[in-house]
Amino acid sequence: MGKKTDTTASGQSVTRRTLHYFMQVTANRKGMFAAAILVSMGYSLFLSYGNPYFMGRIVDLVSVERVSPDQVLPTFGPLVAALILTNLLGQICSKLQDYTNWKLQIGAAYDLARLCFDTLSNQSMTFHTNRFGGSLVAQTSKFMSGYRDLCRSFLFSIVPTCASVFFTMSILGSVVPAYAGVLGALLVVYLVAAYLMYKRVLPLNAGAASAQSRLSGELSDSVTNILAVKTCGREEFERQLFDAANEQVRLAESARMRASMNRGVVTAGIIVVIMATASVFTAGGNAWFNITPGNLIMMFTYTYTLTQQFNFINIVFQNVNAALGDAHDMTVILDEPKLVQDAPDALPLSVREGAIDIDDLTFSYADARKDGFALDHFNLHIPAGQRVGLVGRSGSGKTTLTSLLLRLADIQSGAIRIDGQDISQVEQVSLRSQIGYVPQEPLLFHRTIRENIAYGRPDASEDEILAAARDANALEFIEKLPAGMDTQTGERGVKLSGGQRQRIAIARAILADCPILVLDEATSALDSESEHLVQDALNNLMKGRTCIVVAHRLSTVASLDRIVVMSEGRVIEDGTHDQLTKEDGIYAQLWDRQTGSFLEA
């Protein structure tokens, strides 16, 4: 029972936070929001209450005495004119209600989209590696649609219903006080019952939304890796995973449906009691309280209009629950602290020479065992302009080191300094703008080749882009494409081969012309001929720059100024290629295996 209470309390907390974000963007347009409320109340007043009121007055006049034909216009003319004016004003309010609602939603959607994008783009790589990209996209879309649905429910249902309660009790209270008192008591019972059952449904909506997000993530993961699915013949396995996630959605939606139906049955029963009370008062109102026929019609019509709106309030609550449930997951993400944040007084990084000092660096991943350090009291000094190769077996900490240098994850202990400046105290954007990075897996957008090459320098000229492509040995294949530089690369560059994607990524680094260069297996996807040509370009690019080259293929780093061999997050060997091959160490063993020298022994 305690666990359930905690979950419910947590769900209510997230709901409050969701409403906080929604109210923030609404407050930016408080004038439009106030206008939307006013015209929604006007719509209810004129069409739902103005018409019955003036019609009741006509019925009272008719019931008093017969009106001669020549007196119809003088007697009823003002009331008919009032009816026409009431309908005209009601229709104007209706159209203004549509307009203000659209304006409010369009503006708020813009703000919410920007809020979600800024939050996701400024989160750490640790955050993103633990989540499905497809789920994040779906959660963003559902968060925005949650606001739209909540806004529509509020302006088109909740506001008119609240206005109806106010108008009904105000008008009938002055005409039939006894009936207004009974009706008011029944409405209080209805609202209390609806609210209590609403609280029971709320966590079920959050659960249903989470299940939907998991289903979206499973579908996205399978579709994204469809080639692996097909080549491994694992369609049935993926189908089972999808079915399991789909079953969770079915169960969650069924639980929500049952709770909503139970609430609907209870509230429908209360509405029957309200209408039964209205029928009794209408039948005996004239005899018991001397109520005029017009007021009887007005009383019954007002009550019926009110119960119709309350009858749909179950659907309104369901829509509100669904909207808040849809927004639940993104609200949790928006409330998550950023794992990597700029210091309050962070300054731009100023790279004068490019010297890198790594002092007593210790780092472990969140899912690692207690003593599982990716980097363990790691120390390294790289003088300005030196080209350093990082080698070692998989899991030795090479890529982790480059990630920390770029602050894709934050340092847990120790420090990294560039030209004496602690990178944890400088602006992240300025840090990364000074480091050219080419990862093992090329990072291409579904845009043109030109846009991908110029991504780090969008103001580059066409000649500079072509020169970078030429230096990366990419221009030759680009010119053979039908659209040349305007060729769309496809999602993650799927329209290009692995070597072509890598050369585009290298061209981007060449064009960026940063003082520090990090190459993480940058030539691993190239064939021997392309590797030789690109290596020449990289050698020219690395001149005069501080370079860190991560490589398993030792021929890539053999000509560098210095090679650092890593194992279990520590430096175990450090020297030039010639020095290390003369020693009977890890590097010499790796070199022998890759060159085949060990076969001659």
Side-chain angles (χ1 to χ4, degrees):
M1 290 294 291
K3 185 175 182 180
K4 183 176 181 180
T5 302
D6 292 340
T7 302
T8 302
S10 175
Q12 292 173 347
S13 175
V14 174
T15 298
R16 286 193 293 270
R17 293 297 300 160
T18 299
L19 294 175
H20 167 74
Y21 287 118
F22 286 173
M23 289 172 66
Q24 275 188 325
V25 298
T26 303
N28 295 336
R29 294 156 186 84
K30 49 182 175 289
M32 187 62 64
F33 182 62
I37 293 177
L38 289 175
V39 295
S40 295
M41 294 178 66
Y43 171 80
S44 177
L45 173 64
F46 291 122
L47 296 185
S48 298
Y49 288 84
N51 279 330
Y53 179 82
F54 290 115
M55 187 56 66
R57 304 287 70 78
I58 292 175
V59 170
D60 280 342
L61 290 175
V62 171
S63 64
V64 172
E65 60 180 337
R66 181 180 178 83
V67 178
S68 61
D70 61 324
Q71 292 300 309
V72 170
L73 190 58
T75 303
F76 297 106
L79 291 174
V80 171
L83 275 172
I84 295 173
L85 180 61
T86 294
N87 280 275
L88 176 62
L89 293 174
Q91 292 301 325
I92 292 174
C93 285
S94 174
K95 302 313 163 195
L96 288 175
Q97 186 183 31
D98 293 336
Y99 173 77
T100 54
N101 175 59
W102 275 111
K103 287 288 289 184
L104 189 62
Q105 287 185 29
I106 291 171
Y110 175 84
D111 287 350
L112 291 173
R114 186 170 56 182
L115 172 65
C116 293
F117 180 83
D118 288 345
T119 298
L120 294 177
S121 62
N122 287 305
Q123 271 291 6
S124 68
M125 287 305 299
T126 302
F127 169 90
H128 286 283
T129 53
N130 290 324
R131 287 168 173 82
F132 288 118
S135 289
L136 294 177
V137 173
Q139 288 160 12
T140 300
S141 176
K142 288 163 67 175
F143 186 72
M144 295 168 61
S145 66
Y147 178 87
R148 182 189 64 240
D149 295 340
L150 193 63
C151 186
R152 186 181 296 123
S153 295
F154 180 76
L155 293 177
F156 287 92
S157 298
I158 296 176
V159 170
T161 300
C162 292
S164 294
V165 172
F166 175 77
F167 295 142
T168 297
M169 300 308 296
S170 297
I171 297 173
L172 295 185
S174 62
V175 178
V176 195
Y179 176 73
V182 173
L183 179 61
L186 290 174
L187 291 178
V188 169
V189 171
Y190 181 98
L191 291 173
V192 170
Y195 175 72
L196 291 176
M197 302 194 78
Y198 163 79
K199 290 177 63 177
R200 294 178 57 186
V201 176
L202 188 59
L204 298 178
N205 279 291
S210 295
Q212 284 284 1
S213 293
R214 288 193 295 272
L215 181 64
S216 298
E218 185 60 50
L219 178 61
S220 174
D221 197 34
S222 182
V223 171
T224 300
N225 296 285
I226 191 64
L227 182 60
V229 174
K230 289 187 173 296
T231 54
C232 294
R234 298 284 279 173
E235 288 90 345
E236 184 57 32
F237 174 75
E238 292 298 321
R239 171 69 180 273
Q240 291 173 3
L241 291 179
F242 181 82
D243 283 346
N246 206 16
E247 176 66 11
Q248 291 300 313
V249 172
R250 189 187 69 81
L251 294 174
E253 291 288 355
S254 296
R256 178 165 67 173
M257 177 198 69
R258 288 191 295 271
S260 296
M261 290 299 297
N262 290 338
R263 182 181 61 196
V265 170
V266 172
T267 53
I270 298 175
I271 286 178
V272 170
V273 173
I274 292 175
M275 287 308 301
T277 302
S279 300
V280 171
F281 265 87
T282 301
N286 182 263
W288 298 334
F289 302 105
N290 198 29
I291 302 174
T292 65
N295 285 338
L296 289 175
I297 292 176
M298 184 177 65
M299 182 180 71
F300 185 85
T301 303
Y302 285 177
T303 304
Y304 179 75
T305 299
L306 188 61
T307 56
Q308 284 297 100
Q309 290 178 319
F310 271 86
N311 196 44
F312 287 108
I313 208 164
N314 187 50
I315 297 175
V316 173
F317 272 127
Q318 183 177 335
N319 291 339
V320 169
N321 281 336
L324 294 174
D326 284 346
H328 179 277
D329 288 350
M330 181 51 67
T331 299
V332 172
I333 291 173
L334 292 173
D335 282 345
E336 279 197 30
K338 293 178 183 177
L339 298 180
V340 180
Q341 297 191 69
D342 283 341
D345 55 349
L347 297 173
L349 175 67
S350 175
V351 180
R352 298 177 300 276
E353 297 176 342
I356 300 174
D357 289 286
I358 303 171
D359 300 322
D360 201 31
L361 193 62
T362 298
F363 181 84
S364 63
Y365 290 99
D367 55 355
R369 66 179 189 274
K370 187 175 182 181
D371 59 343
F373 295 106
L375 294 172
D376 187 10
H377 297 286
F378 185 92
N379 291 278
L380 185 65
H381 170 66
I382 304 176
Q386 190 175 70
R387 303 173 302 163
V388 177
L390 296 182
V391 301
R393 294 185 174 90
S394 296
S396 61
K398 304 183 298 296
T399 298
T400 299
L401 181 61
T402 61
S403 295
L404 293 177
L405 176 63
L406 288 157
R407 282 199 73 192
L408 299 178
D410 234 346
I411 297 169
Q412 296 166 352
S413 176
I416 299 178
R417 296 180 177 85
I418 297 178
D419 286 343
Q421 302 162 86
D422 189 334
I423 66 170
S424 67
Q425 300 303 310
V426 303
E427 296 173 352
Q428 296 176 61
V429 172
S430 70
L431 168 69
R432 294 166 191 153
S433 67
Q434 299 292 324
I435 301 175
Y437 178 62
V438 182
Q440 181 175 4
E441 178 65 29
L443 306 174
L444 300 187
F445 296 91
H446 182 26
R447 300 169 190 172
T448 66
I449 290 177
R450 178 185 292 101
E451 289 174 298
N452 273 285
I453 293 176
Y455 190 73
R457 267 189 64 197
D459 59 340
S461 67
E462 184 72 11
D463 289 342
E464 290 173 321
I465 295 172
L466 291 173
R470 185 180 300 108
D471 291 342
N473 193 35
L475 190 58
E476 182 180 359
F477 82 79
I478 293 173
E479 290 178 336
K480 293 179 180 178
L481 298 171
M485 281 286 184
D486 294 319
T487 301
Q488 293 282 336
T489 62
E491 185 178 7
R492 296 185 303 164
V494 294
K495 293 184 178 181
L496 305 177
S497 70
Q500 290 172 337
R501 290 197 299 270
Q502 195 66 287
R503 280 177 276 174
I504 295 298
I506 292 170
R508 178 192 296 165
I510 292 172
L511 184 63
D513 196 22
C514 299
I516 298 173
L517 186 64
V518 175
L519 306 176
D520 190 353
E521 296 287 352
T523 61
S524 61
L526 302 178
D527 55 65
S528 298
E529 181 180 358
S530 294
E531 181 190 7
H532 174 72
L533 294 172
V534 171
Q535 193 64 54
D536 287 342
L538 291 177
N539 287 336
N540 292 329
L541 174 65
M542 287 189 286
K543 289 179 180 178
R545 291 176 173 81
T546 305
C547 303
I548 296 177
V549 182
V550 178
H552 284 98
R553 191 182 298 176
L554 299 186
S555 60
T556 305
V557 298
S559 62
L560 299 182
D561 303 324
R562 178 182 171 197
I563 297 170
V564 173
V565 183
M566 297 177 61
S567 178
E568 297 182 351
R570 291 176 176 268
V571 176
I572 58 171
E573 296 178 23
D574 189 347
T576 65
H577 171 75
D578 291 339
Q579 290 171 340
L580 295 179
T581 52
K582 292 176 182 178
E583 299 175 2
D584 187 19
I586 297 295
Y587 183 82
Q589 295 173 16
L590 293 173
W591 180 260
D592 286 344
R593 289 194 182 99
Q594 290 192 16
T595 60
S597 299
F598 68 95
L599 295 176
E600 300 172 3

